[in-house]
Amino acid sequence: MSTRPDLTLDPKNWDSLRKLGHQMLDDMFDYLQEVREAPVWRLMPASDQSKFEEGLPYRPQDPEAVYADFKELVLPYPTGNIHPRFWGWVMGSGNAVSMLADMLAATINSNVCLGDHSAMKVEQQVLAWSKQLLGYPSSASGLLVSGASMANLTALIVARNHASGGDMRRLGARAMAGEMVMYCSGETHNCIRKAAEVMGMGAGSVRTVPVDEQFRIRTDLLEEIIQNDIAEGCIPFCIVGNAGTVNTGAIDPLDELLAISRKYGLWFHVDGAFGALAKPLPEYAALLHAIEEADSVAFDYHKWMHIPYEAACVLVRNAEAQRQAFAQTPNYLLQHERGVSAGSHSFGDYGIELSRGFKALKIWMSLKTYGVFAFMALIRQNISQARYLAQLIEQHPHLELLAPVDLNIVCFRYIRTGWSSATAQDVNKEILMRLQEEGIATVSATVIQGRYALRAAVSNHRSRAEDFDLLAAQVVRLGNVITESVCFG
Amino acid sequence: MSTRPDLTLDPKNWDSLRKLGHQMLDDMFDYLQEVREAPVWRLMPASDQSKFEEGLPYRPQDPEAVYADFKELVLPYPTGNIHPRFWGWVMGSGNAVSMLADMLAATINSNVCLGDHSAMKVEQQVLAWSKQLLGYPSSASGLLVSGASMANLTALIVARNHASGGDMRRLGARAMAGEMVMYCSGETHNCIRKAAEVMGMGAGSVRTVPVDEQFRIRTDLLEEIIQNDIAEGCIPFCIVGNAGTVNTGAIDPLDELLAISRKYGLWFHVDGAFGALAKPLPEYAALLHAIEEADSVAFDYHKWMHIPYEAACVLVRNAEAQRQAFAQTPNYLLQHERGVSAGSHSFGDYGIELSRGFKALKIWMSLKTYGVFAFMALIRQNISQARYLAQLIEQHPHLELLAPVDLNIVCFRYIRTGWSSATAQDVNKEILMRLQEEGIATVSATVIQGRYALRAAVSNHRSRAEDFDLLAAQVVRLGNVITESVCFG
């Protein structure tokens, strides 16, 4: 070997990096403590944007200078979902315990795939807790993944493999006697369609069933479509039920879907990205009870449980089916009787990924610190806040509720008598953008039965009642200003 | 609304949590500074294991108590990959700047999917840097994902969609006139086979081509197999080349694979999980040059770049092909001219996931702080350490090198004259387990041409020359002890 000293990324001076770390920590606590006073969103100036054009850094810089770049270019311009008045898409608010847990996880830097080490046990415990949380059988298997897209994909791969009788992994979709098809409502999240594409089934294999006036799947039509598919030689294999649709928070009649899936021998999967987490609340127990009987369920920890991104979970009732869909034992993953490669469980046998970070730690520490009751109380608070907002909307002559509020999503618009749909869209789009530009609040948009809707998804542990008063008042104010300043009609 | 005060996960007492955070940070710095003195691995006592059986926590606990649990149950039992003498599988060592960056990322908790906010710009810059690092065209597209399994899957989905002429997303694999097949060596990582399974092509669609004595794909046989497939009505669509195989670190003749892929009109994908990162080194430039011309390449940042889990990257030369394989625009992701939902780029259009954490920050801050030259110097150091270890092995009569050392992986065993393969396996397995149990070093195992091999994958920025002296000496010591204590033969 050379006689030069060995190189390393460890700092020559640990003390100065340690000092910087403490400064960062203080700054992050200040940031969280003061987040209510900050704008929900702000535009990055063009001069800062151009700094992201700089090329690959070859030479080192002081960590203090890099942190200064972070404070100047990154920290002031977040998505905003940690702010009390962020209700865009469906995101969680994060929490301070998880922020610290991610620092701990990044330090020990365990790869949670296989072997005998603590991160494996933490994830197994978090999975056991996840089953308890949803009343799911303890014999089920599961996996933490990045989000509901991956959780749903993982479940659908298991469902397909199970239905195909085992030849799918070797021979693929072309070996099946007919087209395998699955069923869900037209309000289902697009990740189901994307999963079908990824799986080589094609988006056409996803039969989208119309919904009723409450945006729930029409089970009468579902049965017709299944029977029609069978008559035409297709192979139905799965029904996907929604526990909280992305557009309006609608909950499909899960018990009916369960009964139909049993009648036709289909896999019953529940996409409960956020809605499944209302299940422990007594007032949602009946609506969501069928989750306990589902063959698989997907949900996010980074939405309504406020764990920072990424954190989601898939549970599969038939553990062996999940294993059979994914397990491989290549030579380089040999397991042993003792040592770090001991232990019969490999998470790589239950999903797509072999490199798996220690996502479980932030969930483990947050659940232990806050306790489930706190999360449930916050979910209940968000649901009642959504209803409160719906009331404010219904009470105001220029606001219109565009969908029933089943859960935590409120779709509405500012409206004047005689406006065309296009005018309403133009005004409401402008309202949405000004709410954000002025740093007041973030809502996102969707289209409900052809009508452009402002959409407030209330999954935020920092929101207070007064924040919804403000939102309603500001939408009205901006609607009035825009209406008066421009000649609409 | 109720008159009760609004609930939140924010602590009543920020100061005590802040104080705990500082304690954690000091503990983590101590842990990193002292990691060399700790055992590489240790067995968790049964009494601690049982604590992971505790049920879902309903009630809150003090964060100090939860952190005490972490220190007692989690911290002493890591995978060990941050230790200077960890050479198991292929993992990175992490770094202190990334540890701090993950804390920052978890605080602002941005979802890096779409919109006008800083995390989007950081990821775009990291992707631009990734292209520069590999000499890839700046017009290419890319995505950060969890690991090489996801990176390879993403690339193969693009390859398939591109080859199918666009009907694949709608109609699936069954609509193709013949079976789509891809090619790789028998030494290729199993994630390629798993990707084929996930994609509904079946593992049978992956043609594994034999390797030469250096474990590189036999390109003469490859052409034969392609021609045979064409004659039989199959649809060849992709060749996967290895830049560093998982077993031995072999580098396929990438330039020949590139030429064959062009000759037959196939997509050329490079799995460069760790090996692609040797490309900037002049001594590997020729061997890895073809990566610049590949249609796609996958590599990990959490292996040889020491970013903590999870961090990997896929790059695709034809950006439009990547978009066409994944883009969707559902109503609830409407984009706007201004505000947080402005900006035409959506990472969700380039891969499977819509929920995407801020992985980019730890890469961004680490590259800026350490500079690329430092990473390249460390990669070179690891390669020369692997060669040094190979020399030590070749110099010792009881040690045998089982594969050429092309890069950073050393496969070897302890051996005595006249031993059967089974005896050698028993002894070496016991050596591997005792190395770990005694906390000396972690190597993993594989099978090379039917022979059980100890496998040291040197991707560790903390390893020093003396650590390899120790490894060789301890393998010999343990081999001697085991041989003398048991009647083998």
Side-chain angles (χ1 to χ4, degrees), chain A residues 1 6-10 14 18 21-22 25-26 30 33 41 49 52 54-58 60-61 69 74-75 77 79 81 89 94 99 103 107-111 116 118 121 125 129 132 146 160 169-170 172-174 176 189-190 194 197-200 202-204 246 302 308-310 326 328 331-332 336-340 348 351 353-357 359 368-370 372-373 381 388 429-430 433 436-437 446 452 461-462 464, chain B residues 1 6-10 14 18 21-22 25-26 30 33 41 49 52 54-58 60-61 69 74-75 77 79 81 89 94 99 103 107-111 116-118 121 125 129 132 146 160 169-170 172-174 176 189-190 194 197-200 202-204 246 302 308-310 326 328 331-332 336-340 348 351 353-355 357 359 368-370 372-373 381 388 429-430 433 436-437 446 452 461-462 464:
Chain A
M1 299 296 286
D6 296 298
L7 305 170
T8 175
L9 294 179
D10 286 339
W14 281 98
R18 185 189 289 246
H22 285 294
L25 190 73
D26 272 326
D30 290 347
Q33 280 184 251
W41 178 83
Q49 304 225 21
F52 288 99
E54 284 174 13
L56 182 62
Y58 286 94
Q61 291 176 64
D69 284 348
V74 181
L75 192 60
Y77 311 106
T79 324
N81 46 310
W89 305 284
M99 174 265 271
M103 173 182 76
T107 305
I108 72 175
N109 189 26
S110 287
N111 181 8
D116 188 356
S118 57
K121 296 178 207 302
Q125 187 168 30
W129 290 351
Q132 269 187 274
S146 62
R160 173 178 66 172
R169 288 187 63 179
R170 192 165 54 89
R174 291 174 58 84
M176 297 297 293
H189 194 281
N190 258 45
K194 189 177 269 193
E197 293 172 358
V198 165
M199 292 162 70
V246 57
H302 57 219
Y309 286 89
E310 305 162 345
F326 292 107
Q328 298 177 321
N331 288 336
Y332 47 86
H336 293 81
E337 291 77 31
R338 310 184 325 267
V340 67
E353 296 164 311
L354 286 182
S355 288
R356 304 180 67 254
K359 296 179 174 70
K368 283 166 76 87
T369 304
Y370 299 113
V372 169
F373 287 148
Q381 175 170 284
Y388 176 68
K429 213 170 157 183
E430 188 65 25
M433 293 190 288
Q436 295 173 3
E437 285 180 313
T446 194
Y452 179 94
H461 69 76
R462 295 194 174 95
R464 300 174 186 160
Chain B
M1 299 295 285
D6 296 297
L7 306 169
T8 176
L9 295 179
D10 285 339
W14 281 98
R18 185 189 290 245
H22 284 294
L25 190 72
D26 273 326
D30 291 347
Q33 280 185 250
W41 179 83
Q49 303 225 23
F52 288 99
E54 283 174 13
L56 181 62
Y58 285 94
Q61 292 176 64
D69 285 347
V74 181
L75 191 60
Y77 311 106
T79 323
N81 46 310
W89 305 284
M99 174 265 271
M103 172 182 77
T107 305
I108 74 175
N109 190 25
S110 287
N111 181 8
D116 188 356
H117 54 96
S118 57
K121 296 179 208 300
Q125 188 168 27
W129 290 350
Q132 270 187 274
S146 61
R160 173 177 68 172
R169 289 186 64 179
R170 195 166 51 91
R174 292 175 56 85
M176 297 298 292
H189 194 281
N190 259 45
K194 189 177 268 192
E197 293 172 357
V198 164
M199 292 162 71
V246 58
H302 57 220
Y309 286 91
E310 302 161 346
F326 292 108
Q328 298 178 321
N331 287 335
Y332 47 86
H336 292 83
E337 291 77 31
R338 309 181 331 264
V340 67
E353 296 164 310
L354 287 181
S355 290
K359 296 178 174 69
K368 283 166 76 87
T369 305
Y370 300 113
V372 169
F373 288 147
Q381 173 169 284
Y388 176 68
K429 212 169 156 183
E430 187 66 24
M433 293 190 289
Q436 295 173 4
E437 285 179 314
T446 193
Y452 179 93
H461 69 77
R462 295 194 174 96
R464 299 174 188 162

Side-chain angles (χ1 to χ4, degrees), chain B residues 373-402:
Chain B
F373 288 147
F375 291 102
M376 292 308 120
L378 283 162
I379 286 173
R380 179 178 277 145
Q381 173 169 284
N382 282 165
I383 293 169
S384 91
Q385 286 168 338
R387 290 190 184 143
Y388 176 68
L389 175 61
Q391 276 173 28
L392 295 177
I393 290 162
E394 292 190 305
Q395 284 161 8
H396 198 284
H398 293 335
L399 296 179
E400 180 187 12
L401 196 64
L402 294 178

Side-chain angles (χ1 to χ4, degrees), chain B residues 37-109:
Chain B
E37 313 314 321
V40 182
W41 179 83
R42 70 183 109 192
L43 180 68
M44 187 184 293
S47 57
D48 280 348
Q49 303 225 23
S50 66
K51 294 188 183 155
F52 288 99
E53 306 295 319
E54 283 174 13
L56 181 62
Y58 285 94
R59 298 188 180 281
Q61 292 176 64
D62 285 339
E64 291 79 8
V66 173
Y67 180 55
D69 285 347
F70 169 80
K71 288 223 288 187
E72 180 195 342
L73 301 173
V74 181
L75 191 60
Y77 311 106
T79 323
N81 46 310
I82 68 170
H83 194 283
R85 289 188 303 276
F86 184 97
W87 306 295
W89 305 284
V90 184
M91 300 194 192
S93 317
N95 69 74
V97 167
S98 286
M99 174 265 271
L100 297 171
D102 261 1
M103 172 182 77
L104 304 176
T107 305
I108 74 175
N109 190 25

Side-chain angles (χ1 to χ4, degrees), chain A residues 304-323:
Chain A
W304 230 351
M305 294 287 279
H306 307 296
I307 305 300
Y309 286 89
E310 305 162 345
C313 182
V314 56
L315 298 176
V316 177
R317 168 174 288 270
N318 179 344
E320 188 50 28
Q322 185 170 7
R323 225 190 87 82

